[in-house]
Amino acid sequence: EEIKWSLGYRGMCRFRSGTIFLQPVLKKFEYAMTLDTDGYFPAEVSADPIAAMHEGNYVYTWSHVLPDLPGAVRHFWDHSLMYMKMKGIDPRETPILRQFVREDDIQWTYQLYMNDIEIVQLDWFRSDPYQDYFRYLDSMGGFWLHRWGDHAVRTIAVGMWLPEDKVFEMDVPYGHQNYCRCSGAHPHLSCVREEDVGGVPAKWWICAGEDAREDD
């Protein structure tokens, strides 16, 4: 089923998929972090993920993996397979690709790195092969026609070219829409809605202990 995203949203997906990395304002920077306007930290962040990325010489840092809506990425995988064929890339060639592509039928599982929070090493995303893959997808018109998401582009590109030791999972408390995690730094806390502990905004997440929930 076709997903009805606005033209502006589709343009944003295209911008964040490729041309954002080429903006002059970013030329002097080594890293860029994304945090969506409706993303937030429901508990104290005890470690700096950017420092960890720099110290580990990582290229891409992610927080969580979720599935995309099939109707929002119509034909994306078909065109990506054609690109891999042209470039001589096996769709399950790398350990990361094998996490997202089924062995039996070489189909993408729709799972992806959610990039409402992410950190990127800009030089890699500014250069080929990443920009070549973006230009190819852009020439197919899928960003405008089907709302191909920047998180899908990011996931498959990282899978094609980056070894696992260049990709880092940040362990930070994070809330966004229906997703929440409290991170390994807060093992005694769990995600609850603010409304469940007498807080606001009602639908936002907070990492709370048993005492807070019982007091409510």
Side-chain angles (χ1 to χ4, degrees):
E1 182 181 351
E2 180 67 34
I3 306 298
K4 304 299 182 182
W5 300 98
S6 70
L7 189 63
Y9 189 91
R10 295 170 193 232
M12 180 274 295
C13 289
R14 177 186 177 275
F15 176 69
R16 286 187 52 181
S17 290
T19 58
I20 187 173
F21 303 116
L22 306 179
Q23 298 304 302
V25 71
L26 294 178
K27 282 185 176 179
K28 295 182 179 180
F29 295 95
E30 187 174 356
Y31 301 101
M33 180 173 182
T34 296
L35 180 65
D36 273 16
T37 54
D38 56 349
Y40 51 92
F41 304 114
E44 180 181 356
V45 178
S46 57
D48 184 346
I50 298 179
M53 184 173 186
H54 178 72
E55 292 166 4
N57 194 30
Y58 298 110
V59 172
Y60 186 68
T61 294
W62 58 280
S63 165
H64 56 294
V65 172
L66 291 174
D68 204 353
L69 298 170
V73 283
R74 295 174 65 192
H75 310 302
F76 168 78
W77 182 240
D78 295 332
H79 287 294
S80 292
L81 283 176
M82 286 192 288
Y83 181 84
M84 293 180 194
K85 182 70 173 179
M86 289 189 298
K87 299 296 181 179
I89 299 171
D90 185 322
R92 285 178 47 83
E93 182 173 305
T94 69
I96 294 178
L97 279 177
R98 289 194 289 273
Q99 295 175 32
F100 296 103
V101 181
R102 295 194 298 259
E103 181 178 7
D104 55 344
D105 58 1
I106 316 299
Q107 288 300 304
W108 175 37
T109 62
Y110 297 107
Q111 297 286 323
L112 36 69
Y113 297 128
M114 296 299 293
N115 65 339
D116 37 272
I117 180 172
E118 68 173 355
I119 309 171
V120 299
Q121 185 190 77
L122 288 166
D123 279 348
W124 190 82
F125 286 90
R126 279 191 283 249
S127 64
D128 288 337
Y130 182 87
Q131 287 291 326
D132 182 69
Y133 177 50
F134 165 71
R135 289 190 296 268
Y136 163 82
L137 292 174
D138 194 28
S139 73
M140 299 299 164
F143 295 109
W144 301 110
L145 295 172
H146 308 299
R147 181 292 216 176
W148 289 350
D150 42 304
H151 45 6
V153 179
R154 204 87 83 246
T155 300
I156 301 305
V158 165
M160 285 192 289
W161 292 299
L162 288 182
E164 288 182 297
D165 62 4
K166 290 296 182 181
V167 180
F168 178 63
E169 179 184 2
M170 70 176 96
D171 184 26
V172 298
Y174 180 64
H176 178 257
Q177 297 177 4
N178 292 321
Y179 176 83
C180 178
R181 65 184 290 184
C182 292
S183 85
H186 304 285
H188 59 293
L189 303 180
S190 58
C191 292
V192 297
R193 297 287 188 179
E194 286 276 14
E195 63 183 351
D196 296 329
V197 292
V200 291
K203 297 302 180 183
W204 278 38
W205 296 103
I206 186 172
C207 292
E210 289 293 334
D211 292 344
R213 295 196 293 275
E214 290 173 0
D215 291 344
D216 184 65

